[in-house]
Amino acid sequence: MIGRLTREPELRYTPAGVAVTQFTLAVDRPFTNSQSKEREADFINIVTWRQLAETCANYLRKGRLTAVEGRIQVRNYDNNEGKRVYVTEIVADNVRFLESSNSGNREEGTGSSNSNAGYGGGGDRHGGGTREQQDPFIDDGKPIDISDDDLPF
């Protein structure tokens, strides 16, 4: 699913020291309300674990467009009043950041500045510095030297 974070991610650690991050995605429904003609959204609770949890806590921010892959989990507990509470959430296996962290605008259709923080909690690790220093394909006005052996076709 793809949506925007409704609040800052919340990073915690279990008593065993395992990182867990929770956040909520606002996911637009693919249709409009028949009466008000407005698009509605669902607010989906997301949980990430271990390295992926730390990466999400460090790089995701409120309002950022994000894609999540995972499984649905339903858990329950007894609250302070003794009532059973059921919680449905997505346990994320893969989280993709669909906007660069320094961009306030949507970057639809571009993949060059996306960070991939998924597939087992890995992801791109960018050191400090500006985007220009990180992007080896930025146009600096010089011709690019590419031999025929480098081309895939």
mmCIF file of all heavy atoms in Angstrom, residues 3-42:
data_model
loop_
_atom_site.group_PDB
_atom_site.id
_atom_site.type_symbol
_atom_site.label_atom_id
_atom_site.label_comp_id
_atom_site.label_asym_id
_atom_site.label_seq_id
_atom_site.Cartn_x
_atom_site.Cartn_y
_atom_site.Cartn_z
ATOM 1 N N GLY A 3 0.893 5.443 0.913
ATOM 2 C CA GLY A 3 0.198 6.516 1.600
ATOM 3 C C GLY A 3 1.182 7.494 2.225
ATOM 4 O O GLY A 3 2.391 7.383 2.033
ATOM 5 N N ARG A 4 0.647 8.420 2.968
ATOM 6 C CA ARG A 4 1.461 9.441 3.643
ATOM 7 C C ARG A 4 1.387 9.233 5.154
ATOM 8 O O ARG A 4 0.327 8.905 5.689
ATOM 9 C CB ARG A 4 0.974 10.840 3.293
ATOM 10 C CG ARG A 4 1.209 11.155 1.826
ATOM 11 C CD ARG A 4 1.092 12.644 1.547
ATOM 12 N NE ARG A 4 1.370 12.902 0.161
ATOM 13 C CZ ARG A 4 2.574 13.148 -0.342
ATOM 14 N NH1 ARG A 4 3.616 13.185 0.451
ATOM 15 N NH2 ARG A 4 2.750 13.357 -1.630
ATOM 16 N N LEU A 5 2.519 9.438 5.814
ATOM 17 C CA LEU A 5 2.561 9.298 7.264
ATOM 18 C C LEU A 5 1.713 10.385 7.911
ATOM 19 O O LEU A 5 1.792 11.551 7.537
ATOM 20 C CB LEU A 5 3.993 9.414 7.787
ATOM 21 C CG LEU A 5 4.765 8.096 7.875
ATOM 22 C CD1 LEU A 5 5.138 7.588 6.516
ATOM 23 C CD2 LEU A 5 5.951 8.258 8.766
ATOM 24 N N THR A 6 0.917 10.004 8.898
ATOM 25 C CA THR A 6 0.056 10.964 9.588
ATOM 26 C C THR A 6 0.729 11.579 10.806
ATOM 27 O O THR A 6 0.243 12.563 11.346
ATOM 28 C CB THR A 6 -1.249 10.289 10.050
ATOM 29 O OG1 THR A 6 -0.922 9.255 10.985
ATOM 30 C CG2 THR A 6 -2.003 9.711 8.869
ATOM 31 N N ARG A 7 1.825 10.967 11.252
ATOM 32 C CA ARG A 7 2.562 11.483 12.411
ATOM 33 C C ARG A 7 3.995 10.964 12.333
ATOM 34 O O ARG A 7 4.306 10.113 11.514
ATOM 35 C CB ARG A 7 1.908 11.045 13.719
ATOM 36 C CG ARG A 7 1.795 9.543 13.876
ATOM 37 C CD ARG A 7 1.026 9.155 15.152
ATOM 38 N NE ARG A 7 0.661 7.761 15.145
ATOM 39 C CZ ARG A 7 1.421 6.776 15.604
ATOM 40 N NH1 ARG A 7 2.603 7.039 16.121
ATOM 41 N NH2 ARG A 7 1.013 5.527 15.570
ATOM 42 N N GLU A 8 4.847 11.483 13.181
ATOM 43 C CA GLU A 8 6.237 11.035 13.226
ATOM 44 C C GLU A 8 6.287 9.571 13.679
ATOM 45 O O GLU A 8 5.508 9.166 14.547
ATOM 46 C CB GLU A 8 7.042 11.888 14.208
ATOM 47 C CG GLU A 8 7.126 13.363 13.834
ATOM 48 C CD GLU A 8 7.909 13.606 12.566
ATOM 49 O OE1 GLU A 8 8.993 13.016 12.406
ATOM 50 O OE2 GLU A 8 7.435 14.395 11.730
ATOM 51 N N PRO A 9 7.194 8.765 13.127
ATOM 52 C CA PRO A 9 7.338 7.385 13.589
ATOM 53 C C PRO A 9 7.763 7.338 15.055
ATOM 54 O O PRO A 9 8.482 8.213 15.524
ATOM 55 C CB PRO A 9 8.447 6.807 12.702
ATOM 56 C CG PRO A 9 8.559 7.732 11.554
ATOM 57 C CD PRO A 9 8.108 9.071 12.036
ATOM 58 N N GLU A 10 7.310 6.322 15.764
ATOM 59 C CA GLU A 10 7.603 6.174 17.192
ATOM 60 C C GLU A 10 8.500 4.951 17.389
ATOM 61 O O GLU A 10 8.074 3.820 17.211
ATOM 62 C CB GLU A 10 6.278 5.994 17.925
ATOM 63 C CG GLU A 10 6.372 6.015 19.408
ATOM 64 C CD GLU A 10 4.987 5.927 20.037
ATOM 65 O OE1 GLU A 10 4.099 6.705 19.635
ATOM 66 O OE2 GLU A 10 4.810 5.067 20.913
ATOM 67 N N LEU A 11 9.764 5.198 17.739
ATOM 68 C CA LEU A 11 10.743 4.123 17.928
ATOM 69 C C LEU A 11 10.801 3.739 19.397
ATOM 70 O O LEU A 11 10.914 4.594 20.274
ATOM 71 C CB LEU A 11 12.131 4.575 17.468
ATOM 72 C CG LEU A 11 13.296 3.616 17.730
ATOM 73 C CD1 LEU A 11 13.129 2.326 16.942
ATOM 74 C CD2 LEU A 11 14.616 4.296 17.371
ATOM 75 N N ARG A 12 10.723 2.434 19.661
ATOM 76 C CA ARG A 12 10.854 1.891 21.019
ATOM 77 C C ARG A 12 11.739 0.662 20.949
ATOM 78 O O ARG A 12 12.007 0.136 19.866
ATOM 79 C CB ARG A 12 9.494 1.517 21.590
ATOM 80 C CG ARG A 12 8.591 2.702 21.812
ATOM 81 C CD ARG A 12 7.323 2.285 22.491
ATOM 82 N NE ARG A 12 6.483 3.445 22.723
ATOM 83 C CZ ARG A 12 5.223 3.391 23.019
ATOM 84 N NH1 ARG A 12 4.624 2.226 23.134
ATOM 85 N NH2 ARG A 12 4.520 4.478 23.225
ATOM 86 N N TYR A 13 12.122 0.173 22.099
ATOM 87 C CA TYR A 13 12.914 -1.054 22.178
ATOM 88 C C TYR A 13 12.232 -2.011 23.142
ATOM 89 O O TYR A 13 11.729 -1.597 24.191
ATOM 90 C CB TYR A 13 14.340 -0.754 22.643
ATOM 91 C CG TYR A 13 15.139 -0.006 21.595
ATOM 92 C CD1 TYR A 13 15.138 1.378 21.555
ATOM 93 C CD2 TYR A 13 15.869 -0.708 20.634
ATOM 94 C CE1 TYR A 13 15.859 2.056 20.582
ATOM 95 C CE2 TYR A 13 16.591 -0.038 19.666
ATOM 96 C CZ TYR A 13 16.582 1.347 19.647
ATOM 97 O OH TYR A 13 17.286 2.009 18.674
ATOM 98 N N THR A 14 12.215 -3.284 22.788
ATOM 99 C CA THR A 14 11.654 -4.299 23.677
ATOM 100 C C THR A 14 12.625 -4.495 24.844
ATOM 101 O O THR A 14 13.774 -4.045 24.781
ATOM 102 C CB THR A 14 11.477 -5.637 22.936
ATOM 103 O OG1 THR A 14 12.766 -6.143 22.593
ATOM 104 C CG2 THR A 14 10.612 -5.478 21.696
ATOM 105 N N PRO A 15 12.196 -5.165 25.913
ATOM 106 C CA PRO A 15 13.121 -5.434 27.022
ATOM 107 C C PRO A 15 14.365 -6.213 26.575
ATOM 108 O O PRO A 15 15.430 -6.093 27.179
ATOM 109 C CB PRO A 15 12.280 -6.265 27.994
ATOM 110 C CG PRO A 15 10.871 -5.825 27.723
ATOM 111 C CD PRO A 15 10.821 -5.556 26.247
ATOM 112 N N ALA A 16 14.253 -6.957 25.488
ATOM 113 C CA ALA A 16 15.402 -7.703 24.961
ATOM 114 C C ALA A 16 16.284 -6.839 24.058
ATOM 115 O O ALA A 16 17.278 -7.323 23.529
ATOM 116 C CB ALA A 16 14.909 -8.923 24.188
ATOM 117 N N GLY A 17 15.903 -5.571 23.864
ATOM 118 C CA GLY A 17 16.714 -4.659 23.069
ATOM 119 C C GLY A 17 16.411 -4.661 21.577
ATOM 120 O O GLY A 17 17.178 -4.131 20.792
ATOM 121 N N VAL A 18 15.279 -5.233 21.169
ATOM 122 C CA VAL A 18 14.903 -5.274 19.760
ATOM 123 C C VAL A 18 14.143 -3.996 19.404
ATOM 124 O O VAL A 18 13.185 -3.627 20.086
ATOM 125 C CB VAL A 18 14.034 -6.517 19.452
ATOM 126 C CG1 VAL A 18 13.596 -6.532 17.998
ATOM 127 C CG2 VAL A 18 14.782 -7.787 19.809
ATOM 128 N N ALA A 19 14.572 -3.328 18.331
ATOM 129 C CA ALA A 19 13.931 -2.082 17.898
ATOM 130 C C ALA A 19 12.585 -2.374 17.253
ATOM 131 O O ALA A 19 12.446 -3.317 16.468
ATOM 132 C CB ALA A 19 14.826 -1.352 16.914
ATOM 133 N N VAL A 20 11.595 -1.547 17.563
ATOM 134 C CA VAL A 20 10.276 -1.624 16.944
ATOM 135 C C VAL A 20 9.775 -0.192 16.721
ATOM 136 O O VAL A 20 9.886 0.651 17.607
ATOM 137 C CB VAL A 20 9.269 -2.450 17.788
ATOM 138 C CG1 VAL A 20 9.100 -1.876 19.176
ATOM 139 C CG2 VAL A 20 7.937 -2.573 17.086
ATOM 140 N N THR A 21 9.301 0.073 15.522
ATOM 141 C CA THR A 21 8.789 1.399 15.187
ATOM 142 C C THR A 21 7.349 1.257 14.725
ATOM 143 O O THR A 21 7.014 0.346 13.977
ATOM 144 C CB THR A 21 9.636 2.058 14.081
ATOM 145 O OG1 THR A 21 10.946 2.269 14.583
ATOM 146 C CG2 THR A 21 9.054 3.390 13.655
ATOM 147 N N GLN A 22 6.511 2.192 15.166
ATOM 148 C CA GLN A 22 5.116 2.228 14.751
ATOM 149 C C GLN A 22 4.834 3.570 14.106
ATOM 150 O O GLN A 22 5.329 4.608 14.564
ATOM 151 C CB GLN A 22 4.191 2.026 15.943
ATOM 152 C CG GLN A 22 4.323 0.665 16.580
ATOM 153 C CD GLN A 22 3.413 0.510 17.785
ATOM 154 O OE1 GLN A 22 3.304 1.409 18.606
ATOM 155 N NE2 GLN A 22 2.761 -0.636 17.877
ATOM 156 N N PHE A 23 4.036 3.543 13.035
ATOM 157 C CA PHE A 23 3.556 4.766 12.407
ATOM 158 C C PHE A 23 2.246 4.465 11.709
ATOM 159 O O PHE A 23 1.845 3.303 11.592
ATOM 160 C CB PHE A 23 4.596 5.369 11.445
ATOM 161 C CG PHE A 23 5.086 4.459 10.361
ATOM 162 C CD1 PHE A 23 4.470 4.419 9.123
ATOM 163 C CD2 PHE A 23 6.191 3.649 10.570
ATOM 164 C CE1 PHE A 23 4.931 3.590 8.116
ATOM 165 C CE2 PHE A 23 6.670 2.826 9.572
ATOM 166 C CZ PHE A 23 6.033 2.790 8.332
ATOM 167 N N THR A 24 1.558 5.507 11.275
ATOM 168 C CA THR A 24 0.265 5.354 10.622
ATOM 169 C C THR A 24 0.337 5.936 9.226
ATOM 170 O O THR A 24 0.852 7.042 9.040
ATOM 171 C CB THR A 24 -0.844 6.066 11.427
ATOM 172 O OG1 THR A 24 -0.862 5.522 12.754
ATOM 173 C CG2 THR A 24 -2.202 5.887 10.792
ATOM 174 N N LEU A 25 -0.176 5.184 8.242
ATOM 175 C CA LEU A 25 -0.250 5.653 6.859
ATOM 176 C C LEU A 25 -1.684 6.026 6.525
ATOM 177 O O LEU A 25 -2.615 5.270 6.839
ATOM 178 C CB LEU A 25 0.151 4.543 5.886
ATOM 179 C CG LEU A 25 1.589 4.335 5.507
ATOM 180 C CD1 LEU A 25 1.691 3.284 4.403
ATOM 181 C CD2 LEU A 25 2.277 5.590 5.105
ATOM 182 N N ALA A 26 -1.873 7.173 5.899
ATOM 183 C CA ALA A 26 -3.169 7.548 5.348
ATOM 184 C C ALA A 26 -3.173 7.087 3.895
ATOM 185 O O ALA A 26 -2.404 7.588 3.074
ATOM 186 C CB ALA A 26 -3.378 9.053 5.432
ATOM 187 N N VAL A 27 -4.013 6.107 3.579
ATOM 188 C CA VAL A 27 -4.062 5.511 2.247
ATOM 189 C C VAL A 27 -5.385 5.898 1.596
ATOM 190 O O VAL A 27 -6.464 5.569 2.109
ATOM 191 C CB VAL A 27 -3.933 3.969 2.337
ATOM 192 C CG1 VAL A 27 -4.019 3.341 0.957
ATOM 193 C CG2 VAL A 27 -2.640 3.585 3.043
ATOM 194 N N ASP A 28 -5.294 6.604 0.454
ATOM 195 C CA ASP A 28 -6.502 7.031 -0.251
ATOM 196 C C ASP A 28 -7.257 5.836 -0.800
ATOM 197 O O ASP A 28 -6.664 4.884 -1.301
ATOM 198 C CB ASP A 28 -6.146 7.960 -1.421
ATOM 199 C CG ASP A 28 -5.746 9.339 -0.963
ATOM 200 O OD1 ASP A 28 -6.156 9.754 0.135
ATOM 201 O OD2 ASP A 28 -5.022 10.019 -1.724
ATOM 202 N N ARG A 29 -8.569 5.909 -0.715
ATOM 203 C CA ARG A 29 -9.420 4.888 -1.329
ATOM 204 C C ARG A 29 -9.507 5.187 -2.827
ATOM 205 O O ARG A 29 -9.419 6.342 -3.238
ATOM 206 C CB ARG A 29 -10.808 4.902 -0.701
ATOM 207 C CG ARG A 29 -10.784 4.429 0.732
ATOM 208 C CD ARG A 29 -12.166 4.386 1.322
ATOM 209 N NE ARG A 29 -12.105 3.872 2.685
ATOM 210 C CZ ARG A 29 -13.147 3.792 3.492
ATOM 211 N NH1 ARG A 29 -14.338 4.187 3.079
ATOM 212 N NH2 ARG A 29 -13.010 3.313 4.705
ATOM 213 N N PRO A 30 -9.704 4.162 -3.649
ATOM 214 C CA PRO A 30 -9.691 4.381 -5.107
ATOM 215 C C PRO A 30 -10.996 4.949 -5.665
ATOM 216 O O PRO A 30 -11.167 4.990 -6.865
ATOM 217 C CB PRO A 30 -9.427 2.973 -5.663
ATOM 218 C CG PRO A 30 -9.974 2.059 -4.628
ATOM 219 C CD PRO A 30 -9.755 2.747 -3.301
ATOM 220 N N PHE A 31 -11.896 5.381 -4.808
ATOM 221 C CA PHE A 31 -13.169 5.918 -5.272
ATOM 222 C C PHE A 31 -13.538 7.122 -4.425
ATOM 223 O O PHE A 31 -12.953 7.356 -3.371
ATOM 224 C CB PHE A 31 -14.274 4.853 -5.193
ATOM 225 C CG PHE A 31 -14.387 4.226 -3.825
ATOM 226 C CD1 PHE A 31 -15.155 4.806 -2.825
ATOM 227 C CD2 PHE A 31 -13.693 3.051 -3.523
ATOM 228 C CE1 PHE A 31 -15.245 4.230 -1.567
ATOM 229 C CE2 PHE A 31 -13.785 2.463 -2.273
ATOM 230 C CZ PHE A 31 -14.559 3.058 -1.288
ATOM 231 N N THR A 32 -14.506 7.895 -4.876
ATOM 232 C CA THR A 32 -14.963 9.060 -4.125
ATOM 233 C C THR A 32 -16.268 8.740 -3.421
ATOM 234 O O THR A 32 -17.017 7.846 -3.825
ATOM 235 C CB THR A 32 -15.173 10.269 -5.054
ATOM 236 O OG1 THR A 32 -16.119 9.909 -6.057
ATOM 237 C CG2 THR A 32 -13.867 10.700 -5.696
ATOM 238 N N ASN A 33 -16.549 9.492 -2.369
ATOM 239 C CA ASN A 33 -17.799 9.348 -1.633
ATOM 240 C C ASN A 33 -18.938 9.780 -2.543
ATOM 241 O O ASN A 33 -18.881 10.844 -3.155
ATOM 242 C CB ASN A 33 -17.734 10.221 -0.377
ATOM 243 C CG ASN A 33 -18.944 10.068 0.501
ATOM 244 O OD1 ASN A 33 -20.081 10.053 0.032
ATOM 245 N ND2 ASN A 33 -18.706 9.962 1.794
ATOM 246 N N SER A 34 -19.985 8.970 -2.638
ATOM 247 C CA SER A 34 -21.080 9.260 -3.571
ATOM 248 C C SER A 34 -21.849 10.521 -3.206
ATOM 249 O O SER A 34 -22.407 11.174 -4.078
ATOM 250 C CB SER A 34 -22.034 8.072 -3.647
ATOM 251 O OG SER A 34 -22.589 7.814 -2.377
ATOM 252 N N GLN A 35 -21.873 10.891 -1.937
ATOM 253 C CA GLN A 35 -22.635 12.075 -1.531
ATOM 254 C C GLN A 35 -21.795 13.353 -1.586
ATOM 255 O O GLN A 35 -22.213 14.347 -2.130
ATOM 256 C CB GLN A 35 -23.187 11.876 -0.127
ATOM 257 C CG GLN A 35 -24.205 10.764 -0.070
ATOM 258 C CD GLN A 35 -24.598 10.414 1.349
ATOM 259 O OE1 GLN A 35 -24.025 10.911 2.308
ATOM 260 N NE2 GLN A 35 -25.580 9.539 1.482
ATOM 261 N N SER A 36 -20.602 13.311 -1.028
ATOM 262 C CA SER A 36 -19.801 14.535 -0.974
ATOM 263 C C SER A 36 -18.817 14.641 -2.127
ATOM 264 O O SER A 36 -18.182 15.678 -2.291
ATOM 265 C CB SER A 36 -19.035 14.596 0.351
ATOM 266 O OG SER A 36 -18.074 13.557 0.401
ATOM 267 N N LYS A 37 -18.680 13.594 -2.925
ATOM 268 C CA LYS A 37 -17.771 13.559 -4.074
ATOM 269 C C LYS A 37 -16.312 13.781 -3.671
ATOM 270 O O LYS A 37 -15.507 14.238 -4.461
ATOM 271 C CB LYS A 37 -18.175 14.591 -5.137
ATOM 272 C CG LYS A 37 -19.592 14.451 -5.631
ATOM 273 C CD LYS A 37 -19.768 13.167 -6.393
ATOM 274 C CE LYS A 37 -21.186 13.102 -6.970
ATOM 275 N NZ LYS A 37 -21.605 11.780 -7.268
ATOM 276 N N GLU A 38 -15.993 13.485 -2.415
ATOM 277 C CA GLU A 38 -14.624 13.625 -1.940
ATOM 278 C C GLU A 38 -14.010 12.250 -1.743
ATOM 279 O O GLU A 38 -14.700 11.286 -1.430
ATOM 280 C CB GLU A 38 -14.594 14.393 -0.616
ATOM 281 C CG GLU A 38 -14.985 15.845 -0.759
ATOM 282 C CD GLU A 38 -14.886 16.596 0.557
ATOM 283 O OE1 GLU A 38 -14.309 16.057 1.505
ATOM 284 O OE2 GLU A 38 -15.393 17.710 0.622
ATOM 285 N N ARG A 39 -12.705 12.198 -1.925
ATOM 286 C CA ARG A 39 -11.983 10.945 -1.741
ATOM 287 C C ARG A 39 -11.743 10.729 -0.246
ATOM 288 O O ARG A 39 -11.365 11.645 0.458
ATOM 289 C CB ARG A 39 -10.651 11.007 -2.480
ATOM 290 C CG ARG A 39 -9.913 9.686 -2.452
ATOM 291 C CD ARG A 39 -8.865 9.657 -3.492
ATOM 292 N NE ARG A 39 -9.536 9.523 -4.777
ATOM 293 C CZ ARG A 39 -9.054 8.854 -5.796
ATOM 294 N NH1 ARG A 39 -7.887 8.292 -5.702
ATOM 295 N NH2 ARG A 39 -9.715 8.771 -6.915
ATOM 296 N N GLU A 40 -11.986 9.516 0.203
ATOM 297 C CA GLU A 40 -11.763 9.175 1.605
ATOM 298 C C GLU A 40 -10.452 8.429 1.750
ATOM 299 O O GLU A 40 -9.880 7.946 0.768
ATOM 300 C CB GLU A 40 -12.919 8.315 2.114
ATOM 301 C CG GLU A 40 -14.248 9.047 2.116
ATOM 302 C CD GLU A 40 -15.389 8.178 2.591
ATOM 303 O OE1 GLU A 40 -15.157 6.995 2.931
ATOM 304 O OE2 GLU A 40 -16.522 8.676 2.626
ATOM 305 N N ALA A 41 -9.970 8.318 2.969
ATOM 306 C CA ALA A 41 -8.715 7.613 3.239
ATOM 307 C C ALA A 41 -8.911 6.659 4.408
ATOM 308 O O ALA A 41 -9.772 6.859 5.262
ATOM 309 C CB ALA A 41 -7.607 8.610 3.569
ATOM 310 N N ASP A 42 -8.106 5.617 4.404
ATOM 311 C CA ASP A 42 -8.046 4.700 5.536
ATOM 312 C C ASP A 42 -6.742 4.966 6.261
ATOM 313 O O ASP A 42 -5.716 5.271 5.641
ATOM 314 C CB ASP A 42 -8.082 3.249 5.050
ATOM 315 C CG ASP A 42 -9.437 2.891 4.463
ATOM 316 O OD1 ASP A 42 -10.437 3.001 5.188
ATOM 317 O OD2 ASP A 42 -9.483 2.515 3.279
#
